[in-house]
């Protein structure tokens, strides 16, 4: 099976700033969902301001890390997945410049909805592949829909400005 998926939930009540994770890469895609915390996120040379409902997606070998602005609670999920090279489902993410179009912000209703899917993924047993794929696809669908909407709005703004 060429598809791999893992999810983690983090909710440190206190985070020493000297323990901030360094700039790093993975050989898989990563989707980060912020639920709380005063943080920013760097992908390549681009810094994104992060708020509740922020989603960051990084593709394989894209340098990234979270910047903590204080040592208080930082609740978030990280979902890593990999699949076959050239998978068309992920073309919109993998065929973009590094550090570009990594960030979208969900409204409160979508944040609540996608959080349920992250939580379900976290608690699914390894024997329940169908449920695992179902919740993963719901997360990916939300991201793709909001990503495409965001791109369309940016294009519309450029047309209006001209």
């Amino acid at each position: 099976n060429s598809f791999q998926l893992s999810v983690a939930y983090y909710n440190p009540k206190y985070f020493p700033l000297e323990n901030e994770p360094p700039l790093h890469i993975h050989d898989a895609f990563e989707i980060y969902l912020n639920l709380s915390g005063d943080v920013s996120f760097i992908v390549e040379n681009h810094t994104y301001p992060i708020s509740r409902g922020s989603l960051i997606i990084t593709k394989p070998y894209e340098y990234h890390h979270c910047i903590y602005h204080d040592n208080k609670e930082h609740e978030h999920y990280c979902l890593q997945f990999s699949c076959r090279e050239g998978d068309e489902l992920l073309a919109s993410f993998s065929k973009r410049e590094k550090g570009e179009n990594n960030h979208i912000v969900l409204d409160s209703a979508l944040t609540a909805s996608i959080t349920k899917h992250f939580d379900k993924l976290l608690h699914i047993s390894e024997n329940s592949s169908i449920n695992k794929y179902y919740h993963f696809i719901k997360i990916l669908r939300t991201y793709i829909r909001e990503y495409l909407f965001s791109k369309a709005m940016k294009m519309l703004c450029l047309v209006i400005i001209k």
Side-chain angles (χ1 to χ4, degrees):
N1 185 0
S2 61
F3 181 79
Q4 301 293 317
L5 175 69
S6 67
V7 65
Y9 170 75
Y10 302 94
N11 189 16
K13 300 297 182 197
Y14 171 80
F15 191 87
L17 294 178
E18 61 272 9
N19 291 351
E20 182 175 283
L23 193 63
H24 62 280
I25 58 173
H26 308 282
D27 61 356
F29 288 90
E30 181 175 75
I31 297 177
Y32 160 96
L33 170 64
N34 181 278
L35 299 175
S36 70
D38 185 11
V39 297
S40 296
F41 211 96
I42 291 181
V43 182
E44 294 293 327
N45 292 320
H46 194 110
T47 302
Y48 297 99
I50 300 298
S51 59
R52 179 174 176 77
S54 286
L55 277 175
I56 295 279
I57 189 167
T58 56
K59 62 185 179 179
Y61 306 106
E62 197 167 29
Y63 283 96
H64 61 280
H65 82 112
C66 199
I67 299 171
Y68 290 73
H69 301 295
D70 64 30
N71 59 4
K72 294 184 175 59
E73 182 177 29
H74 173 217
E75 184 180 12
H76 62 284
Y77 285 95
C78 286
L79 171 75
Q80 289 187 4
F81 62 97
S82 59
C83 52
R84 289 188 313 271
E85 188 72 28
D87 192 323
E88 290 305 311
L89 177 65
L90 302 172
S92 60
F93 305 122
S94 58
K95 293 184 179 171
R96 59 173 172 70
E97 293 297 317
K98 287 184 174 184
E100 297 293 323
N101 299 312
N102 300 89
H103 177 240
I104 61 171
V105 180
L106 304 177
D107 64 27
S108 59
L110 278 175
T111 300
S113 173
I114 203 170
T115 299
K116 288 178 187 172
H117 294 294
F118 271 96
D119 197 51
K120 294 278 189 188
L121 267 179
L122 194 62
H123 295 99
I124 287 175
S125 75
E126 286 300 314
N127 300 332
S128 185
S129 291
I130 299 223
N131 282 333
K132 181 170 72 171
Y133 293 130
Y134 170 80
H135 293 291
F136 170 71
I137 288 170
K138 289 291 217 174
I139 290 168
L140 201 57
R141 184 185 79 165
T142 300
Y143 190 92
I144 290 169
R145 186 176 55 225
E146 294 303 306
Y147 172 79
L148 293 175
F149 178 76
S150 173
K151 280 184 76 170
M153 291 304 291
K154 286 177 186 174
M155 290 171 59
L156 181 61
C157 286
L158 288 175
V159 168
I160 292 170
I161 290 171
K162 289 182 180 182

